[in-house]
Amino acid sequence: PEDATPWLPTQAGQPLFTVRGGRYCPPEDWFDDQPVRCVTWDAACRYARWWSERTGQVWRLPFEQEWEKAARSVDERLYPWGNFLDPSWACTRARGRNGPVAVTQFEQDCSAYGVRGLAGNISDWVSAFNAPRRGPTSAAHRWVRGGNWSDISQLSRCALRYPSVEDSSNTVGFRLVRTL
């Protein structure tokens, strides 16, 4: 437990998980089919290293260009589904959400490559275009891509990027990639 505690999801510096019966338990309004969120950049990278050790394959956070290609496809579309905005197609503030939903809930928020939730639900940690190939070394190399449940729909454009200003956020999570 002392090794795991520093890497648990937090909000405003407070741990979100509780320990019951020797197990870490998420808040009651969190469900297994929701995206990971409220983790620091370092915790996301640490998880990628742990998963790599467990699977014997190298996993990491995506570089910005990888995330953008997955979202925009070869035709450089504005949104994962095409070049028009339909606020009902992604989990954003326009849908009246007050938190994330299941990753399968918005079927239209899907790229040509089958990647879900790039325009809404939870934004993703990514490494900057100019980050060293072995991983970011400073906060300048850490960015957030994608829309989320608290953003207005116009911020779901695939080309937008944001520097991270918080260590962890209820609107930012991560997904892993591996080089083939």
Side-chain angles (χ1 to χ4, degrees):
E2 57 276 352
D3 291 339
T5 300
W7 309 109
L8 291 174
T10 61
Q11 195 161 13
Q14 297 300 311
L16 293 172
F17 281 51
T18 57
V19 179
R20 282 185 241 139
R23 293 183 57 113
Y24 286 101
C25 301
E28 290 185 16
D29 60 344
W30 283 29
F31 302 97
D32 290 343
D33 57 357
Q34 292 177 338
V36 173
R37 61 194 181 278
C38 297
V39 295
T40 65
W41 168 270
D42 292 330
C45 292
R46 177 102 174 199
Y47 180 84
R49 286 192 300 274
W50 174 82
W51 190 245
S52 295
E53 291 169 8
R54 185 162 183 195
T55 63
Q57 300 173 329
V58 178
W59 293 88
R60 59 180 168 75
L61 300 181
F63 287 104
E64 276 194 280
Q65 62 269 38
E66 293 168 321
W67 187 98
E68 189 165 337
K69 174 74 181 292
R72 299 184 75 187
S73 187
V74 295
D75 58 2
E76 298 182 341
R77 52 189 64 185
L78 299 177
Y79 301 94
W81 53 79
N83 288 325
F84 60 94
L85 175 60
D86 186 330
S88 70
W89 285 14
C91 181
T92 64
R93 187 183 326 163
R95 299 288 293 164
R97 299 287 171 204
N98 60 358
V101 297
V103 296
T104 56
Q105 189 161 337
F106 286 84
E107 292 179 23
Q108 295 89 350
D109 187 359
C110 187
S111 76
Y113 296 110
V115 183
R116 307 279 299 259
L118 295 166
N121 214 9
I122 294 293
S123 302
D124 297 312
W125 285 114
V126 296
S127 300
F129 284 115
N130 63 347
R133 294 315 275 179
R134 66 189 183 307
T137 56
S138 73
H141 295 129
R142 302 171 186 181
W143 289 84
V144 174
R145 298 294 297 261
N148 64 65
W149 62 267
S150 75
D151 278 346
I152 60 173
S153 297
Q154 290 80 355
L155 296 180
S156 295
R157 289 178 60 126
C158 297
L160 294 178
R161 68 198 280 253
Y162 313 94
S164 178
V165 294
E166 298 180 54
D167 281 337
S168 69
S169 169
N170 196 29
T171 60
V172 178
F174 69 96
R175 55 182 86 219
L176 299 180
V177 299
R178 80 180 163 88
T179 304
L180 298 176

